[in-house]
Amino acid sequence: MTDHITQSLENRVLTLTINRPERKNALTQAMYGALADAINAANDDKAIRAIIITGEGDMFTAGNDLTDFASDSERSSGEPPVTRFLNGIRDAETPLIAAVNGPAVGVGLTMLLHCDIAYAAESANFRAPFTALGLVPEAGSSLLLPLSVGNSMANEILLAGRILTAQEALECGLVSRVVPDAGLMAAALACAEQVAAAAPTAIRRSKALIRMNRDAVKDRMEAEGKAFAEQLKSPDFAEAAAAFMQKRKPVFDD
């Protein structure tokens, strides 16, 4: 477990905290791997009946660490850690509860589509700036986000980069509750403990039944993953990454 992902277990609730506030909780491949390992291990751990994912400080996550993702040296020949994480949250048998403590960018938004319950702090906002970075949607969001918030809103988020406030996220169904910042973790823990106290077999079977209509998600994620990997090697992403490091706006050629 990398120091940038911390975990604690109490009352059968595992809390995973993205702990890199000095970099706005931007996620590296190592951090994705640590999250994937913890979520996958919980499937076979009877001591864990619910998982909370949250961020340290005033940011949920700024999304992918672009420097990390732009570096070929960070990639292995096997399944990338980010893929293991996305598959892990898609297939998790343990209920996942997101406690969005601040801005959620990129995967910070799209992972919510795989969480069973999502709470947001009043200061949270939600953004998926994939096209601005020369990338494409991931985590099955090109399928799941339109189903969740409607086609027009999904296109505003995924194509136009619309930033949703916490209240807007609540109104369109991306989260189920908005609470004051100071009360977020208490509310998320109370919910998680209620889930953890229920009959575990019934919880897991209910979760599986609720997700039975998502047979196309795996295929969509594979298609997105292929397109995402291709875009990482594209001139568009190279320009976006360079602009990010140089603190300027990217200029994309036709």
Side-chain angles (χ1 to χ4, degrees):
M1 180 70 65
T2 172
D3 291 341
H4 290 146
I5 301 295
T6 63
Q7 62 177 323
S8 62
L9 179 62
E10 185 175 355
N11 296 331
R12 296 174 292 192
V13 176
L14 175 67
T15 300
L16 300 175
T17 303
I18 305 168
N19 184 31
R20 200 186 179 203
E22 71 280 4
R23 294 296 300 274
K24 299 183 179 180
N25 291 335
L27 290 157
T28 63
Q29 292 283 11
M31 294 166 70
Y32 276 121
L35 287 167
D37 289 344
I39 291 167
N40 291 336
N43 289 331
D44 299 315
D45 191 338
K46 293 183 179 180
I48 300 173
R49 295 191 181 178
I51 298 173
I52 293 175
I53 301 175
T54 192
E56 182 64 34
D58 59 4
M59 189 97 184
F60 184 56
T61 176
N64 295 333
D65 184 313
L66 292 184
T67 303
D68 183 74
F69 272 70
S71 173
D72 287 332
S73 64
E74 296 294 330
R75 299 177 194 152
S76 64
S77 58
E79 187 177 46
V82 61
T83 303
R84 291 201 297 115
F85 168 72
L86 295 178
N87 291 343
I89 58 174
R90 180 195 67 207
D91 300 332
E93 298 175 15
T94 309
L96 299 175
I97 299 165
V100 185
N101 56 298
V105 181
V107 71
L109 184 158
T110 60
M111 76 166 73
L112 304 183
L113 302 170
H114 298 277
C115 290
D116 302 289
I117 299 169
Y119 285 3
E122 290 177 341
S123 64
N125 58 57
F126 304 84
R127 182 185 178 202
F130 298 116
T131 56
L133 297 173
L135 298 172
V136 298
E138 35 81 303
S141 58
S142 63
L143 172 66
L144 294 175
L145 192 61
L147 292 176
S148 176
V149 306
N151 191 64
S152 183
M153 177 68 79
N155 283 331
E156 267 205 270
I157 294 168
L158 295 176
L159 301 183
R162 175 172 173 168
I163 301 173
L164 296 181
T165 66
Q167 186 61 36
E168 287 171 333
L170 175 65
E171 291 169 356
C172 70
L174 188 61
V175 303
S176 61
R177 186 176 300 186
V178 175
V179 298
D181 289 24
L184 176 67
M185 284 308 298
L189 282 167
C191 177
E193 288 174 356
Q194 187 170 357
V195 170
T201 302
I203 286 287
R204 291 196 175 202
R205 285 183 171 176
S206 295
K207 173 170 177 169
L209 287 167
I210 291 167
R211 290 172 176 264
M212 280 184 69
N213 65 341
R214 294 191 177 186
D215 294 340
V217 174
K218 182 177 179 181
D219 290 341
R220 183 63 62 91
M221 288 176 68
E222 289 176 354
E224 289 175 346
K226 181 179 178 181
F228 198 99
E230 291 171 351
Q231 285 300 118
L232 285 174
K233 301 175 183 178
S234 71
D236 282 353
F237 179 70
E239 166 61 13
F244 175 80
M245 289 183 281
Q246 296 166 14
K247 298 182 179 180
R248 61 173 175 81
K249 291 184 178 182
V251 179
F252 298 114
D253 295 328
D254 292 335

